[in-house]
């Protein structure tokens, strides 16, 4: 949600200052890409403890529970 608010304020600021429409579109595209990448990194960091727990569970299952024939 904060990413969307940032992009809308960014576009409004560019339009009010009188920058050309093509520049506004380019800046908006770059801002959306940056916010998307930062949002994805935030999700990964938020899920990192669970990913570590899952990796440890898979390792434990492969090494101690599951026996090969």
């Amino acid at each position: 949600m904060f990413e969307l608010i940032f992009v809308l304020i960014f576009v409004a600021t560019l339009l009010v200052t009188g920058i050309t429409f093509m520049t506004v579109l380019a800046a908006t595209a770059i801002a959306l890409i940056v916010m998307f990448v930062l949002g994805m990194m935030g999700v990964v960091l938020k899920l990192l403890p669970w990913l570590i727990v899952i990796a440890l569970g898979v390792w434990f299952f492969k090494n101690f529970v599951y026996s090969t024939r």
Side-chain angles (χ1 to χ4, degrees), residues 54-69:
I54 291 169
L56 287 174
V58 169
W59 174 80
F60 182 79
F61 182 77
K62 282 185 176 181
N63 290 327
F64 297 106
V65 176
Y66 181 74
S67 61
T68 58
R69 294 180 184 181

Side-chain angles (χ1 to χ4, degrees), residues 1-64:
M1 189 65 179
F2 290 115
E3 292 88 359
L4 180 62
I5 293 171
F6 168 77
V7 170
L8 291 175
I9 292 172
F10 183 66
V11 169
T13 304
L14 288 177
L15 288 173
V16 169
T17 57
I19 298 179
T20 62
F21 187 67
M22 289 303 292
T23 308
V24 171
L25 289 179
T28 304
I30 291 171
L32 283 172
I33 290 169
V34 169
M35 287 290 126
F36 181 74
V37 169
L38 291 176
M40 292 294 283
M41 286 175 47
V43 168
V44 168
L45 289 176
K46 192 173 186 178
L47 293 176
L48 189 61
W50 290 107
L51 293 173
I52 292 171
V53 167
I54 291 169
L56 287 174
V58 169
W59 174 80
F60 182 79
F61 182 77
K62 282 185 176 181
N63 290 327
F64 297 106

